[in-house]
Amino acid sequence: MMKSILEGHEFSMLSIDLRGKRALVAGVADDGGFGWAIAKALAEAGATVCTGTWPPALNIFKTMLERGKFDDSRKMNDGSLLGFERIYPLDAAYDTLADAPEDVRTNRRYAGVGDFSIAGLAQRLAQDFGDKAIDIVVHSLANGPEVKKPLLETSRSGYLTAISVSAYSLVSMVSYLAPLMRPHGSVLSLSYLAALRVCPGYGGGMSSAKAALESDTRTLAFEAGRKYGIRVNAISAGPWASRAASAIGIIDETMRYTAANAPLQEQVQPEDVGATAAFLASSLGAGITGTVLFVDKGYHTMGKATEERYSAP
Ligand SMILES: NC(=O)c1ccc[n+]([C@@H]2O[C@H](COP(=O)([O-])OP(=O)(O)OC[C@H]3O[C@@H](n4cnc5c(N)ncnc54)[C@H](O)[C@@H]3O)[C@@H](O)[C@H]2O)c1
């Protein structure tokens, strides 16, 4: 007999229910990006949320949280404020602390935060919550030091750093964190259309990194699915003026152009991405793995740009 999708749910309405689930969202350092919106959506659905925050941004993030600077964005539907169970230091460029060069380890923004590597994060999660206590892992981080340079002018080291921080970091996070995840857990990363199509201005090997990220999503879905029973997906998000995207320098024009030329002539909102992330992490997404889901108002489907409104004859 077919099992009802509502089985085990208290309510008769279809709902995204993440109560009892714990999430680690890597790549949250302010309230303006996709990581924050995803953390909030997961919490709205009942999950407890920890963050992995880049050490150079860690202190300012914690201070701003404590001083109430994010209180408006922290407001949840039930009136409470979004809270983080733990805020861990994480530099996803390093798999172990020994991989971090001396000048990074002794840098004043890194010194004193403890083991900020991916292995260190896994160790802290295991210490704090036990062996199998994570259900959702979100990789919402990227960095390409030469992103403003066309691919043709990108150095080998800039290219490899983009791939290392923005794509290999997902492979490493799955390899260190999947053993801590409960079966049916969900891993999610954030990609961009430049993985598949030419997006001038998104340089430095970042397009290559997103292509690798999407390909790895499929292979990791297979390997981690068989080994740990978890799912691995990516959301390819439309452009949004987060802190990271604003640093690229073309985000306003990209947002305007994309919204004007998409089937739905609207700006993608971080909340759109957050809601899709919560859905994918929930039991409603139980059948979805190895997928790149576009949350871009349909822009990726266009073969010929037009800003005109179309009305059927
Ligand atoms: N904003 C967009 O237009 C857009 C579109 C599609 C996909 N994305 C992707 O969404 C994800 C989140 O980016 P965002 O745009 O929301 O910006 P954001 O600034 O909110 O998030 C990027 C985060 O990455 C962190 N980070 C950078 N290097 C790191 C490292 N070595 N270790 C750990 N953390 C590091 C930053 O501190 C920051 O918190 C990225 O993967 C990005 O490529 C963004």
Side-chain angles (χ1 to χ4, degrees):
M1 204 179 71
M2 201 182 291
K3 215 168 125 188
S4 162
I5 198 159
L6 294 176
E7 223 174 88
H9 287 255
E10 242 172 66
F11 307 109
S12 56
M13 268 164 37
L14 201 58
S15 64
I16 295 181
D17 184 359
L18 297 176
R19 287 172 301 171
K21 311 275 185 199
R22 177 175 290 111
L24 182 273
V25 183
V28 182
D30 59 39
D31 61 350
F34 291 135
W36 176 279
I38 292 171
K40 194 169 177 195
L42 297 175
E44 290 278 15
T48 54
V49 181
C50 304
T51 73
T53 300
W54 196 42
L58 187 66
N59 268 340
I60 178 91
F61 179 54
K62 282 186 176 168
T63 307
M64 287 181 75
L65 263 178
E66 280 159 19
R67 295 200 179 150
K69 303 287 184 203
F70 299 133
D71 282 3
D72 281 349
S73 332
R74 287 175 70 197
K75 281 213 180 79
M76 311 251 285
N77 285 332
D78 66 1
S80 65
L81 290 185
L82 168 67
F84 299 110
E85 197 176 19
R86 295 280 193 287
I87 296 174
Y88 295 108
L90 171 69
D91 193 323
Y94 307 113
D95 303 318
T96 67
L97 196 55
D99 294 334
E102 180 67 19
D103 61 327
V104 170
R105 271 184 281 147
T106 54
N107 182 294
R108 67 177 172 79
R109 298 187 301 174
Y110 284 78
V113 302
D115 188 339
F116 49 79
S117 69
I118 294 173
L121 172 68
Q123 205 172 33
R124 285 185 183 202
L125 283 166
Q127 263 162 16
D128 290 347
F129 304 117
D131 275 355
K132 288 269 176 202
I134 312 292
D135 302 280
I136 301 160
V137 169
V138 179
H139 174 286
S140 182
L141 59 94
N143 190 24
E146 297 181 20
V147 65
K148 290 185 179 175
K149 286 191 186 165
L151 190 56
L152 264 179
E153 290 165 26
T154 298
S155 71
R156 184 183 296 264
S157 111
Y159 181 96
L160 292 177
T161 300
I163 301 244
S164 164
V165 175
S166 314
Y168 182 76
S169 53
L170 175 71
V171 177
S172 180
M173 279 176 60
V174 174
S175 108
Y176 280 101
L177 299 179
L180 305 180
M181 292 178 72
R182 291 186 269 243
H184 307 296
S186 157
V187 177
L188 179 72
S189 70
L190 274 295
S191 189
Y192 182 50
L193 184 62
L196 303 174
R197 306 272 181 266
V198 181
C199 297
Y202 193 74
M206 279 307 300
S207 55
S208 328
K210 292 304 188 191
L213 188 78
E214 294 191 6
S215 176
D216 295 343
T217 297
R218 293 181 280 275
T219 306
L220 291 171
F222 165 65
E223 294 182 3
R226 293 286 171 93
K227 194 164 178 184
Y228 302 106
I230 62 172
R231 298 177 291 115
V232 184
N233 292 294
I235 288 176
S236 182
W240 175 253
S242 62
R243 177 182 284 245
S246 300
I248 305 174
I250 50 161
I251 190 65
D252 291 339
E253 164 53 13
T254 309
M255 283 168 67
R256 191 210 63 77
Y257 178 87
T258 308
N261 289 288
L264 300 174
Q265 288 181 308
E266 298 164 4
Q267 174 55 53
V268 167
Q269 300 297 320
E271 291 74 16
D272 298 327
V273 173
T276 306
F279 154 70
L280 279 173
S282 76
S283 59
L284 299 180
I288 305 175
T289 192
T291 288
V292 180
L293 200 56
F294 287 92
V295 180
D296 67 346
K297 306 286 179 184
Y299 175 73
H300 69 285
T301 59
M302 299 301 289
K304 182 184 175 207
T306 174
E307 301 196 8
E308 282 161 29
R309 291 194 79 82
Y310 174 81
S311 33

